[in-house]
């Protein structure tokens, strides 16, 4: 095995991880939970983000010389079919994610042009999402270097900067003795407010009468997903046993700070009934900047946030699909999916990916409430991703027994017991959140709960069945061809 250059610092890995996790599109979802957001963020950080990072780091260090990521991890622990299912779910959840982030970008553009009404226009949001996705795909085919330069700046300019601005402006809002929105929550919203001595007070722990009251947990968990992407860099650290936990704790602190204070800033300024999942961030910007007579700043924030969202799409559009290209070359997928252009870009896979994104983006055009479509796509996305995480946790535990001699430059503290504890906690948290995804949120006008639940169940079953069917068909084909070799 070739020598690995150990040049990644604790701070660098922390920023890389935070960049993979943080997205401003999630702030309205947490803001709608008002002060109960602290419960959800604690759950996501300590029961999901940190366990996922630790398990992925051990697996990444153990198989860094083989490539394939989660495909290799699960295949080595179980079998090729399960490995392909895992990487397929990692890919397809990313495909389902595109319409949600593009919907957020559509709202950003609407506010940039001073037309906030377009953010709730399903036709505009759907067509914008489809058009911008195919533009990003076309640019990816060219493989131009300037695209990578744009995406590298997207996190700082389009995510961190607007996040800092909304936090600072909320502090200015409070100093100016303006009304604090979360102190005036409607008494009908019992999930996040309670009545004491005739006055409405915000809750710090969600009031749960059923699963629907905590349905946003699944969407919030998605905001903290993706940490396994950079765990493969653990071998590039000089002292992974010490540096990696420090980097993950630092990344968790950065994520916690921006998510918590950004969401809290929205809850401070924006009345509960005006927090919209898709465009709520810009409603907050508009209220603040209009109040201080600098309305043009809302347009600027819309431009920056759109840049951040679109840069995020362009940075991910070819990444996960390369995992499928890797499995195609390994004989797990049909040969026509091996097709690449002169720039080495996986054209056929991206065409299929674009077709799915187009169909899913059409939900914006046929559903009455854009926020419901936005959350429905989010629920489907996290459901698929959570299945992959359960497979990853199970692989971490199994490999401790089936391949104990693997050279692991980073090991989950505590040996087998530590892996059972950390991976077990992560698995249970993910399993619980997976169940929650099938319940429509009581905070949204979903219309027919049966339609909502049926759509999520159908989508989950279909997308999980696809890799199993493909694997079975390809295995039979290989068995038929074997005697001829």
């Amino acid at each position: 095995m070739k020598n690995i250059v150990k040049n990644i610092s604790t701070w660098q890995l922390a920023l890389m991880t935070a960049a993979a996790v943080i997205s401003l599109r999630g702030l309205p979802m947490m803001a709608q939970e008002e002060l109960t957001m602290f419960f959800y963020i604690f759950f996501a950080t300590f029961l999901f983000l940190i366990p996922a990072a630790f398990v992925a780091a051990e697996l990444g260090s153990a198989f860094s010389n083989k490539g394939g990521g989660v495909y290799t991890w699960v295949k080595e622990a179980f079998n090729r079919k399960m490995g392909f299912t895992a990487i397929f779910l990692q890919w397809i959840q990313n495909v389902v994610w595109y319409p949600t982030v593009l919907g957020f970008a559509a709202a950003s553009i609407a506010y940039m042009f001073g037309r906030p009404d377009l953010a709730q226009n399903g036709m505009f949001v759907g067509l914008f999402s489809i058009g911008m996705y195919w533009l990003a795909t076309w640019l990816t085919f060219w493989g131009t270097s300037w695209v990578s330069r744009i995406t590298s700046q997207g996190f700082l300019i389009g995510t961190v900067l607007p996040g800092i601005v909304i936090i600072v402006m909320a502090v200015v809002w409070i100093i100016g003795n303006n009304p604090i929105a979360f102190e005036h929550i409607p008494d009908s919203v019992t999930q996040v407010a309670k009545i004491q001595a005739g006055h409405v007070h915000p809750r710090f722990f969600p009031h749960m009468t059923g699963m629907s009251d905590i349905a946003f947990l699944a969407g919030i968990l998605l905001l903290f997903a993706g940490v396994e992407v950079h765990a493969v860099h653990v071998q590039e650290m000089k002292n992974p046993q010490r540096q990696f936990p420090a980097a993950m704790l630092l990344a968790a602190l950065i994520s916690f700070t921006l998510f918590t204070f950004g969401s809290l800033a929205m809850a401070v300024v924006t009345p509960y009934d005006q927090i919209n999942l898709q465009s709520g961030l810009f409603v907050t910007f508009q209220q603040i900047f209009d109040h201080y007579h600098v309305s043009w700043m809302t347009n600027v924030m819309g431009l920056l946030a759109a840049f951040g969202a679109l840069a995020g799409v362009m940075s991910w559009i070819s990444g996960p699909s390369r995992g499928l290209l890797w499995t195609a070359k390994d004989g797990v997928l049909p040969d026509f999916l091996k097709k690449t252009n002169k720039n080495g870009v996986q054209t056929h896979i991206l065409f299929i990916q674009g077709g799915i994104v187009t169909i899913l983006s059409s939900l914006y055009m046929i559903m009455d409430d854009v926020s419901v479509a936005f959350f429905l796509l989010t629920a489907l996305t996290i459901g698929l991703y959570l299945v992959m995480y359960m497979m990853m946790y199970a692989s971490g535990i199994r490999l401790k027994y089936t391949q104990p001699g693997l050279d692991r430059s980073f090991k989950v503290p505590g040996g087998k017991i530590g892996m059972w504890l950390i991976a077990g906690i992560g698995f249970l948290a993910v399993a619980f959140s997976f169940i929650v995804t099938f319940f429509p949120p009581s905070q949204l006008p979903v219309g027919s709960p049966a339609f909502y639940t049926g759509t999520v169940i159908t989508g989950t079953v279909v997308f999980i069945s696809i890799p199993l069917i493909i694997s079975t068909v390809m295995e039979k084909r290989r068995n038929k061809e074997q005697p001829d070799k």
Side-chain angles (χ1 to χ4, degrees):
M1 186 174 65
K2 64 180 181 179
N3 293 327
I4 297 174
V5 179
K6 298 181 181 292
N7 59 358
I8 291 187
S9 68
T10 302
W11 177 249
Q12 286 174 321
L13 186 61
L15 282 182
M16 289 167 62
T17 303
V21 170
I22 298 171
S23 171
L24 292 180
R25 70 185 180 87
L27 298 187
M29 185 177 295
M30 288 193 290
Q32 200 157 49
E33 293 302 322
E34 300 296 340
L35 299 190
T36 65
M37 72 175 72
F38 295 107
F39 162 79
Y40 293 102
I41 293 173
F42 177 89
F43 184 99
T45 301
F46 295 100
L47 301 184
F48 174 71
L49 177 62
I50 293 177
F54 274 53
V55 174
E58 177 165 321
L59 295 175
S61 68
F63 297 103
S64 61
N65 62 322
K66 288 192 174 183
V70 70
Y71 168 71
T72 299
W73 305 347
V74 178
K75 183 183 76 171
E76 291 287 332
F78 298 101
N79 53 55
R80 180 183 291 190
K81 182 179 290 187
M82 288 189 67
F84 175 63
T85 300
I87 200 167
F88 180 88
L89 292 177
Q90 188 183 53
W91 168 73
I92 198 65
Q93 72 80 25
N94 199 257
V95 174
V96 179
W97 167 82
Y98 290 127
T100 67
V101 72
L102 286 167
F104 175 75
S108 305
I109 292 296
Y111 276 83
M112 183 190 75
F113 286 116
R115 287 288 308 278
D117 56 296
L118 290 177
Q120 290 302 308
N121 185 309
M123 188 62 66
F124 168 76
V125 174
L127 291 176
F128 175 89
S129 300
I130 294 170
M132 287 308 301
Y133 183 82
W134 281 108
L135 174 61
T137 300
W138 179 72
L139 292 171
T140 301
F141 285 153
W142 285 92
T144 50
S145 59
W146 63 267
V147 172
S148 64
R149 289 198 296 269
I150 291 175
T151 57
S152 66
Q153 298 299 319
F155 174 62
L156 291 175
I157 297 175
T159 300
V160 174
L161 181 57
I164 292 174
V165 169
I166 196 171
I167 293 170
V168 171
M169 292 307 296
V171 172
V172 173
W173 181 272
I174 294 172
I175 294 174
N177 292 320
N178 293 291
I180 307 302
F182 65 70
E183 295 179 346
H184 306 282
I185 304 171
D187 57 11
S188 60
V189 191
T190 58
Q191 301 93 342
V192 297
K194 59 184 177 181
I195 301 176
Q196 288 181 338
H199 297 283
V200 179
H201 298 275
R203 295 179 182 272
F204 284 92
F205 190 82
H207 178 61
M208 291 177 283
T209 58
M211 286 292 197
S212 292
D213 291 333
I214 57 169
F216 275 9
L217 175 63
I220 290 173
L221 211 63
L222 176 62
L223 303 177
F224 289 80
V227 67
E228 79 281 355
V229 173
H230 293 302
V232 295
H233 295 294
V234 67
Q235 283 195 321
E236 298 173 51
M237 308 184 87
K238 292 181 179 179
N239 187 353
Q241 284 296 128
R242 180 182 61 83
Q243 287 181 280
F244 186 80
M248 289 303 101
L249 289 174
L250 186 57
L253 180 62
I254 295 171
S255 302
F256 178 88
T257 300
L258 193 55
F259 277 142
T260 303
F261 288 101
S263 303
L264 192 58
M266 287 191 61
V268 164
V269 176
T270 312
Y272 181 85
D273 57 1
Q274 294 183 33
I275 298 176
N276 178 276
L277 292 187
Q278 184 195 16
S279 57
L281 176 65
F282 305 103
V283 172
T284 304
F285 276 133
Q286 189 172 48
Q287 284 186 275
I288 293 175
F289 294 134
D290 285 356
H291 179 79
Y292 289 104
H293 308 292
V294 284
S295 302
W296 57 270
M297 282 293 293
T298 302
N299 305 72
V300 174
M301 289 299 109
L303 176 62
L304 294 181
F307 174 61
L310 293 176
V313 170
M314 295 180 71
S315 66
W316 283 93
I317 202 166
S318 64
S321 60
R322 291 201 71 82
L324 286 188
L325 178 64
W326 198 90
T327 59
K329 292 180 178 179
D330 199 34
V332 183
L333 285 173
D335 288 344
F336 80 94
L337 293 177
K338 297 179 184 178
K339 176 68 176 178
T340 59
N341 64 10
K342 62 180 181 181
N343 298 312
V345 178
Q346 54 279 13
T347 52
H348 286 187
I349 291 177
L350 287 184
F351 278 129
I352 293 174
Q353 180 170 293
I356 298 172
V357 171
T358 299
I359 293 171
L360 292 177
S361 295
S362 299
L363 280 175
Y364 287 122
M365 294 183 277
I366 62 176
M367 294 191 71
D368 294 334
D369 192 314
V370 172
S371 284
V372 174
F374 188 88
F375 186 78
L376 181 61
L377 289 170
T378 300
L380 181 56
T381 300
I382 191 59
L384 299 173
Y385 213 175
L386 292 179
V387 172
M388 187 222 75
Y389 274 112
M390 285 188 272
M391 298 174 77
M392 185 185 80
Y393 286 131
S395 298
I397 294 173
R398 182 172 172 80
L399 286 168
K400 279 289 191 182
Y401 294 90
T402 59
Q403 298 189 42
L406 278 174
D407 182 18
R408 299 166 167 92
S409 61
F410 175 83
K411 297 180 181 179
V412 171
K416 291 180 180 178
I417 295 177
M419 178 62 81
W420 269 104
L421 181 62
I422 292 177
I425 289 174
F427 186 94
L428 291 175
V430 164
F432 176 72
S433 302
F434 177 71
I435 294 172
V436 170
T437 62
F438 298 103
F439 292 84
S442 56
Q443 299 94 324
L444 286 180
V446 296
S448 170
F451 170 77
Y452 178 95
T453 302
T455 301
V456 176
I457 290 176
T458 302
T460 303
V461 170
V462 167
F463 285 127
I464 291 178
S465 299
I466 290 173
L468 295 176
I469 294 171
I470 292 174
S471 294
T472 301
V473 171
M474 291 301 294
E475 187 175 350
K476 289 181 178 179
R477 180 180 298 180
R478 285 194 301 270
N479 291 337
K480 286 182 179 179
E481 295 174 350
Q482 193 67 32
D484 300 329
K485 292 184 179 179

